[in-house]
Amino acid sequence: MKTLKIDHIGIAVKSIEEASKIYTELLGLEMHGVEEVAEQKVKVAFIPVGESEVELLESTDPEGPIARFIEKNGEGIQHIAFRVDDIEKALEELKQKGVRLIDEKPRYGAGGAKIAFIHPKATKGVLIELCER
Ligand SMILES: C[C@@H](C(=O)O)C(=O)SCCNC(=O)CCNC(=O)[C@H](O)C(C)(C)COP(=O)(O)OP(=O)(O)OC[C@H]1O[C@@H](n2cnc3c(N)ncnc32)[C@H](O)[C@@H]1OP(=O)(O)O
Ligand SMILES: [Co+2]
């Protein structure tokens, strides 16, 4: 497998409408439309910047991962997503290395990307998402 680039940085926010102003009004970036990813219990907005994007994540459910993250840590960076060329192969290789995965098989994320998370306990406290588009 090949890791290609930082695809996006996931930021947990209470309100996409409020938080997006930082990126649009202060940094002059443009936000794409908001999309719901029901499986992850989030609404998502992407803000492209150069080769990567900022992903704003607002919870749609108090039991979802973003609501839980904000409850514990407040708003802030929740994950870093790396784009890979072949996510099934990447997960197979990580599994063989004994890495603790949250998702052993890819799920579908925003924009129909295939995504999977590595547990932060296996990565010195960074929640890593792999994604293939
Ligand atoms: C739409 C899609 C896309 O891009 O297309 C997305 O991004 S969806 C983005 C949202 N979806 C996800 O995050 C899905 C994957 N995440 C999960 O499954 C969960 O959030 C876990 C990461 C397993 C955490 O689960 P849960 O909140 O139940 O456990 P917990 O609070 O007891 O946390 C277990 C330990 O992990 C740490 N921990 C929890 N969340 C963390 C995070 N985001 N970054 C770093 N460490 C984190 C906690 O501090 C704790 O450590 P201590 O034990 O030392 O206190
Ligand atoms: Co993400």
Side-chain angles (χ1 to χ4, degrees):
M1 68 116 156
K2 206 167 166 200
T3 303
L4 303 169
K5 64 171 192 170
I6 292 183
D7 187 87
H8 63 266
I9 295 177
I11 302 178
V13 301
K14 290 181 184 162
S15 158
I16 286 175
E17 199 192 329
E18 276 299 307
S20 62
K21 291 178 191 162
I22 296 159
Y23 303 93
T24 57
E25 290 174 16
L26 301 186
L27 298 181
L29 298 168
E30 270 181 39
M31 185 173 86
H32 286 185
V34 178
E35 173 185 344
E36 184 166 350
V37 181
E39 191 179 28
Q40 297 289 344
K41 302 184 167 79
V42 288
K43 282 198 294 188
V44 184
F46 278 98
I47 300 165
V49 49
E51 289 271 284
S52 304
E53 306 195 50
V54 169
E55 178 186 53
L56 300 181
L57 298 150
E58 179 184 321
S59 187
T60 56
D61 182 328
E63 297 301 314
I66 295 305
R68 286 180 60 97
F69 179 87
I70 291 176
E71 204 178 310
K72 214 167 166 182
N73 308 286
E75 296 173 290
I77 295 177
Q78 193 253 354
H79 68 268
I80 298 181
F82 292 93
R83 190 181 294 188
V84 296
D85 62 343
D86 183 339
I87 195 166
E88 278 90 358
K89 200 164 165 210
L91 292 172
E92 196 48 52
E93 286 180 25
L94 290 167
K95 211 153 71 173
Q96 269 173 20
K97 288 177 180 155
V99 176
R100 182 172 171 194
L101 301 174
I102 294 172
D103 304 300
E104 298 212 342
K105 295 226 163 67
R107 298 172 183 277
Y108 286 98
K114 286 194 217 172
I115 65 169
F117 288 88
I118 304 174
H119 202 284
K121 288 291 165 201
T123 54
K124 311 276 185 208
V126 178
L127 177 59
I128 292 178
E129 174 189 330
L130 302 178
C131 76
E132 180 189 333
R133 315 183 179 270

